[in-house]
Amino acid sequence: RSLNHFVDKSISFYRGDSPSIVMGNELEGRLLVLKKSLAVYFINRNNILFTENPDLVICLIWELFETRVPLGVHPTAMVSDKALIQSNCSIGAFAVIGDNVELGNNVIIDECVVIKNCKIGDNTHIYPGVKIGSPGLGSHKDKHGVWHQFPHVGRVVIGKDVIIQDNSVIARGSLTDTIIDEGVHIGPLSCLAHNVNIKKNVLIGQSVTIAGSVVVGEESIIWGNA
C-alpha cells in the first residue's frame, strides 16, 4: 500500500530522506520499509525495516505473493505445429506463435502477442500486444523511384529472465540475428530495429527507439522516450 492508504495488515515504504513524512503513521499490525539513513529518527519504533533500497525490498516481497500464471495454451491462441514449445509455458488469449519459434521453460506469453522467427530463453515474460520477429525497416529506392525492401533472414534471439512490456516491437535480423541477452527489461511501447544487440541486464524505459545494428553494453539504462 502507498503511505496514503497504509491500513492494518499491510506493507508500505518510503524512498525519500525526510523523516517528517512518515513520523505520524500508526505502525501497529503494519510494516514500513525505510532507508537506513532514517534509522536514527525511529529508534523506539517497532515494525520498521531499514534497508539501502526500499523499492527493491518491495519488489522482492511482491515476488513472494505474486500469483502464478496458469500453464498451457489458451483455446483462442494460434500456435504453429512447427513451433518448439516446452510444456511448462503459458500462452494467452489470441496470441499467435509462428513456425520458426522456440520457447524455453516457464515462458509466459500474454494475450494478443505475435511472435515469429524467434527463440526465447527460460523464465521470460512477454506482455500483451508485443510484436516480435517481423522484418524491420530497410528500404532502398531504385532509379525509377520504386522502394525495395532489404532482405530479413535473421531471427530474434532472446535470453532467459527477460521482460518485454506491452506493445513493444522487436524486428528480426536482416542478415544476422537481433539479440536480446539475459536479464534485460524493456518498457512498454519501445521499438528495437533489426540487428540490435542488447547485452545482459540492460533496462530500457518506455517508448524508447533503438535503430538498427546498435549495441547496448551490459548494465546500461536507457530511460523513457530516448
Side-chain angles (χ1 to χ4, degrees):
R1 294 276 187 165
S2 68
L3 281 174
N4 294 331
H5 301 88
F6 196 18
V7 297
D8 287 347
K9 298 180 181 179
S10 68
I11 301 171
S12 189
F13 79 108
Y14 173 60
R15 66 169 66 94
D17 297 302
S18 176
S20 62
I21 298 295
V22 295
M23 281 288 192
N25 276 276
E26 172 60 50
L27 298 180
E28 185 68 29
R30 309 170 192 183
L31 176 64
L32 182 61
V33 183
L34 301 177
K35 282 185 176 181
K36 278 186 177 180
S37 58
L38 296 180
V40 65
Y41 300 100
F42 298 94
I43 294 174
N44 298 317
R45 299 286 296 273
N46 297 319
N47 300 348
I48 300 177
L49 176 62
F50 296 103
T51 176
E52 296 289 349
N53 190 337
D55 291 75
L56 177 59
V57 169
I58 295 299
C59 291
L60 296 174
I61 292 172
W62 169 247
E63 288 175 2
L64 296 175
F65 296 96
E66 192 172 10
T67 304
R68 290 288 299 170
V69 175
L71 301 180
V73 179
H74 193 277
T76 62
M78 299 175 60
V79 180
S80 169
D81 293 337
K82 297 179 181 178
L84 301 177
I85 299 172
Q86 298 298 320
S87 59
N88 55 353
C89 292
S90 174
I91 299 177
F94 302 105
V96 178
I97 309 296
D99 295 346
N100 191 23
V101 172
E102 300 177 49
L103 303 184
N105 292 298
N106 300 311
V107 172
I108 299 173
I109 306 296
D110 285 338
E111 59 270 21
C112 301
V113 169
V114 178
I115 301 178
K116 302 180 283 187
N117 308 303
C118 183
K119 180 179 181 180
I120 299 178
D122 299 346
N123 306 313
T124 285
H125 189 168
I126 310 298
Y127 281 53
V130 170
K131 305 294 187 289
I132 300 174
S134 291
L137 179 64
S139 300
H140 298 271
K141 189 184 289 187
D142 65 21
K143 64 181 180 180
H144 303 294
V146 177
W147 287 103
H148 301 272
Q149 176 76 344
F150 195 83
H152 285 73
V153 295
R155 301 176 81 184
V156 178
V157 179
I158 298 173
K160 64 181 181 180
D161 301 314
V162 171
I163 287 178
I164 302 174
Q165 291 188 312
D166 306 60
N167 297 316
S168 290
V169 176
I170 301 176
R172 70 185 295 190
S174 53
L175 304 183
T176 56
D177 294 333
T178 298
I179 299 174
I180 312 296
D181 214 329
E182 64 182 70
V184 172
H185 284 203
I186 299 173
L189 295 170
S190 293
C191 181
L192 278 62
H194 53 224
N195 302 108
V196 162
N197 188 343
I198 310 297
K199 303 293 187 179
K200 294 180 182 178
N201 298 323
V202 168
L203 175 66
I204 295 173
Q206 64 276 11
S207 302
V208 169
T209 298
I210 300 181
S213 302
V214 168
V215 177
V216 179
E218 290 187 16
E219 308 285 347
S220 297
I221 297 174
I222 303 175
W223 206 233
N225 298 308

